[in-house]
Amino acid sequence: MNKFIEIPAKKAALAGEYDVAVIGGGFGGVAAALSAARNGARTCLIEKYCVLGGLGTAGNVVGYLALCDGRGRQVSYGLAEELLLLPMKYSGCRPLGKWGNKSGATRAELSETRYEMWYNPGPMMLGMEDLAEEAGVDLFYECRVTDVLKADGGELEGVVIESSEGCSVIRAKAFVDASGDAVLCNLCGESCEIAKENRAAAWYFSVDASGFVSLEKNAVHPYNSRDAKRHPPFSGLDNLSVRKHILLSHSLVKSDLEKKNAMRSAAGEKPLYLFSLPSMPEFRMTRRLEGKCVIKKGDEHKWHEDTVGIFADWRKAGPVYALPLRALAAVKTPNLFTAGRCISSTGDAWDVTRVIPVCSVSGQAAGAAAADMAACGETSVSRVQEMLRRAGVRLDPELVEEIPPCE
């Protein structure tokens, strides 16, 4: 039985007033904030940690998956591509295969690999922060959104944030929930679906005796049926499940290192040592908006009149999806949009949309929609599409159509 303690009302200082406020500094949130700011909106980005990139940096999930359909055709452009190339500024990371220098390459040559890249987290963090500062985005680090202020008509007027200096309020004309857990949608009373398939996982970095650092990403495989039976699922939405997930993940890291070192010892090799653990829980899916349009299995190669982005299936070659603006828009809160893994998708399609490139695609679209809402008091599909095209996003129906594999 839950026990409740009454807490006296707090006074909250006004921390700032903006056109667009973005909640969550993962790839979806960074893309949303950059998109809004570059379209002229005074923008802030609220992040609960002290770095940008979310799971893609602090979580050690450092694989920027495919911007192409696996058949030599790029389908995602704009900020999705800009962010993929971003770590090149501070590191030697490069896209795979011919995608590193795609000019002049044939479709057959490009189809040999996906347009993706493995990167180091530090360069991505710094690059994202550079872009945010260049765009004039105000960053609020180490802040958690704990409550909302809503008008009588349902519009969101402000968010309450908690930080080391106490409780404060940020007001804005439009908002983007890129929290990964649909925190803002939930606080606004939006209908949300809760995932039940989170398994323990921990990508970590090891270092060998020579000082060579490697990413170890197979502590547990979320799709392995044997592991699924051994390890319980987690919601990721309460303190107990978060604690259990983290502790189990850490124990899996230790056992994974033990197994690897036993094999290395048998081969006469020196042992590996732990170098770095993820600094946030590696939940795949937790909670997402049940929106005006739900992306689902069977939507492959389907075009929508309100398409605001295009993305591929990271797991296999062929399927390409068009992202409708309706899948980003809240139902009860007219000036709230979503980005990243809490957009309106379900089942198999949720697994497709939760990854970095799709988060970047949805973030850029949500940021443009929020900027349009802030400027005009409403969102126009045609205006948002034009904003995205000006920013380099290709919104062409033929990109969604299926093409045959290269021979």
Side-chain angles (χ1 to χ4, degrees):
M1 182 177 180
N2 291 327
K3 294 182 178 180
F4 296 95
I5 298 174
E6 188 171 335
I7 298 174
K10 299 180 180 180
K11 286 186 177 181
L14 181 62
E17 295 183 284
Y18 295 88
D19 296 319
V20 174
V22 179
I23 315 304
F27 279 82
V30 168
L34 292 174
S35 179
R38 289 176 180 180
N39 279 291
R42 184 166 183 247
T43 304
C44 72
L45 176 58
I46 303 166
E47 166 56 38
K48 63 183 178 181
Y49 298 109
C50 63
V51 296
L52 299 178
L55 273 174
T57 55
N60 289 349
V61 184
V62 290
Y64 203 118
L65 298 176
L67 301 183
C68 68
D69 63 357
R71 294 177 177 172
R73 177 180 60 170
Q74 182 177 348
V75 298
S76 299
Y77 293 84
L79 275 168
E81 186 171 25
E82 183 178 348
L83 292 175
L84 179 143
L85 300 175
L86 189 57
M88 292 169 58
K89 179 178 179 181
Y90 292 112
S91 73
C93 301
R94 295 294 181 269
L96 298 179
K98 290 288 186 179
W99 291 104
N101 186 15
K102 60 186 176 179
S103 177
T106 66
R107 187 163 74 88
E109 289 174 328
L110 292 173
S111 68
E112 294 174 359
T113 59
R114 301 297 291 266
Y115 189 6
E116 56 190 31
M117 187 167 76
W118 292 89
Y119 58 89
N120 298 320
M124 183 66 84
M125 293 175 186
L126 291 178
M128 286 181 156
E129 200 168 72
D130 286 348
L131 291 183
E133 291 186 337
E134 290 166 8
V137 175
D138 284 351
L139 297 172
F140 286 80
Y141 282 134
E142 297 288 342
C143 293
R144 287 179 176 268
V145 173
T146 58
D147 208 346
V148 295
L149 306 175
K150 293 191 77 174
D152 293 339
E155 295 87 358
L156 185 55
E157 293 186 326
V159 291
V160 178
I161 60 172
E162 297 277 355
S163 68
S164 57
E165 62 179 334
C167 178
S168 55
V169 171
I170 291 177
R171 293 187 178 274
K173 297 175 183 177
F175 296 80
V176 178
D177 186 344
S179 63
D181 303 319
V183 169
L184 201 50
C185 290
N186 185 58
L187 288 171
C188 287
E190 297 288 335
S191 178
C192 296
E193 179 183 355
I194 297 176
K196 301 170 184 175
E197 294 299 323
N198 281 300
R199 304 287 170 176
W203 292 22
Y204 65 98
F205 286 95
S206 67
V207 61
D208 65 16
S210 67
F212 185 79
V213 177
S214 299
L215 175 66
E216 310 289 347
K217 57 179 185 295
N218 292 316
V220 66
H221 201 295
Y223 304 112
N224 185 302
S225 59
R226 183 180 63 183
D227 282 340
K229 290 178 181 178
R230 289 171 54 214
H231 303 300
F234 300 90
S235 73
L237 296 172
D238 62 89
N239 290 334
L240 180 60
S241 76
V242 171
R243 181 171 76 239
K244 287 183 175 180
H245 182 279
I246 291 173
L247 293 176
L248 179 54
S249 297
H250 289 175
S251 71
L252 289 168
V253 169
K254 290 182 283 187
S255 63
D256 191 62
L257 269 174
E258 288 174 3
K259 291 176 184 177
K260 285 183 167 67
N261 281 332
M263 295 173 62
R264 292 173 70 90
S265 177
E269 298 174 345
K270 293 182 178 180
L272 295 175
Y273 300 96
L274 179 63
F275 184 78
S276 175
L277 286 171
S279 54
M280 63 182 292
E282 292 183 337
F283 291 120
R284 294 167 57 242
M285 298 176 281
T286 53
R287 180 172 52 203
R288 61 91 181 161
L289 170 72
E290 289 185 322
K292 301 172 183 177
C293 175
V294 180
I295 305 169
K296 58 188 181 301
K297 186 176 178 60
D299 283 346
E300 305 96 316
H301 311 300
K302 182 179 179 182
W303 180 256
H304 309 276
E305 290 305 311
D306 61 338
T307 291
V308 288
I310 298 174
F311 58 89
D313 190 329
W314 60 274
R315 307 164 305 177
K316 57 187 176 182
V320 179
Y321 293 78
L323 175 67
L325 180 58
R326 290 164 294 156
L328 309 182
V331 177
K332 300 176 182 178
T333 315
N335 61 338
L336 173 61
F337 302 89
T338 57
R341 69 183 186 189
C342 52
I343 67 173
S344 183
S345 59
T346 193
D348 186 70
W350 196 352
D351 192 34
V352 176
T353 59
R354 68 181 174 84
V355 296
I356 289 174
V358 190
C359 291
S360 301
V361 169
S362 62
Q364 184 166 10
D372 190 45
M373 171 67 73
C376 303
E378 60 180 4
T379 297
S380 159
V381 170
S382 60
R383 284 197 304 265
V384 173
Q385 289 173 331
E386 179 57 30
M387 292 160 75
L388 293 168
R389 288 191 177 101
R390 288 199 306 266
V393 177
R394 287 188 58 185
L395 301 176
D396 303 331
E398 57 266 27
L399 287 180
V400 181
E401 296 172 1
E402 185 173 12
I403 59 174
C406 295
E407 296 183 357

